[in-house]
Amino acid sequence: MSVSQGGSGSYERPHRPAWTEGSSPVDRRSAIRQAALGLFAAHGYRSTTMTDIGAAVGIRGPSLYKHVTSKHELLAEIMIGTMEQLIADNAAAVAGTGDVSEQLRRSVEAHIRYHARHRLEAFVGNREIGSLERPEQDRVLGLRSDYERRFRELIERGASEGEFQVQSARITSYSILDMGIGVSSWFHEGGAFSVDQLAYQYGDIALRMVGARAEGSGRGGVGGGGAGGDPTHT
C-alpha cells in the first residue's frame, strides 16, 4: 500500500482494497481490515464509521456486518496483530546468534524493517491505544510490555557481560523503540535509503547508544556498515 505523510502528520487514504464477488471469506476480511486501517490512519478511529469502511470496499453497511461485528473489532485485530508480528520478528531475529551485540543489532533491524514496511499499522497502533476498550486494551499493553522487555533484557545482559555501558537499560530500550515510530512517520520507498540500508544504519545507532565494544558489534564493528553497509541477513 502506498502512503505518504505531509507536515500535518495525516496519511492519505489508500486505494480501495481488492474485492470481488468470488473472493474467499478470508480475502474479504483482509480487504475490510486494510480499508479500516487506511481510514483509521487518515481520519482517526473515532471519525471513521462502519459506513465509511463499507464504502471503501464497495459494499453497503448492512452487508458489512456479515464479515465483522464492529469497527472496534477491526481496531483490536489490527493492533494485536501488529504487536504479535513484532514479537515474532524479534524472536526470529535473535535466534540465529548468541552474541548479545549481534542480537541487539538484529532486533533493532527487525524493528526498523517492520516500521518502514508497515507505516499505517505503526501510526494507528501508536495513536489509537486510548480508543481500545478492555480487555483488548490490556492485551495490547501486555504485548507492548513483553516487546519492550525483550530489548531491555538484551541491554541488561550486554551490560552484565561487559559489552554495553548504559546508565538505564529501561530508558535505552524506550529510546530504541521510539526510533521505529520515527521511521514510520517519515520513511517512504524510493527515497535515499532502502529498507535494508535504513535498518542497518539504525542498528549502528543502537549499538552506539549502548556503548557496545567495536569488536562485539558483529559485521565490521560499530559503524562498520555506514551508508553503504551490506545488511545480508533478514
Side-chain angles (χ1 to χ4, degrees), residues 121-199:
E121 288 89 342
F123 181 72
V124 170
N126 189 53
R127 185 180 67 179
E128 299 292 356
I129 186 65
S131 298
L132 276 180
E133 301 170 5
R134 290 182 170 177
E136 289 80 9
Q137 185 184 77
D138 290 338
R139 182 175 178 188
V140 171
L141 291 174
L143 290 168
R144 285 187 176 186
S145 294
D146 178 18
Y147 189 58
E148 183 274 330
R149 177 183 53 78
R150 291 165 181 261
F151 284 85
R152 177 163 35 92
E153 289 182 350
L154 273 180
I155 296 167
E156 290 172 342
R157 193 181 113 220
S160 70
E161 294 176 0
E163 295 290 336
F164 302 159
Q165 294 182 355
V166 294
Q167 290 186 336
S168 170
R170 187 179 295 275
I171 291 176
T172 306
S173 69
Y174 288 165
S175 298
I176 289 173
L177 294 179
D178 279 348
M179 294 193 303
I181 299 300
V183 164
S184 71
S185 72
W186 63 263
F187 178 79
H188 62 90
E189 295 282 359
F193 301 102
S194 69
V195 172
D196 282 342
Q197 287 172 329
L198 188 71

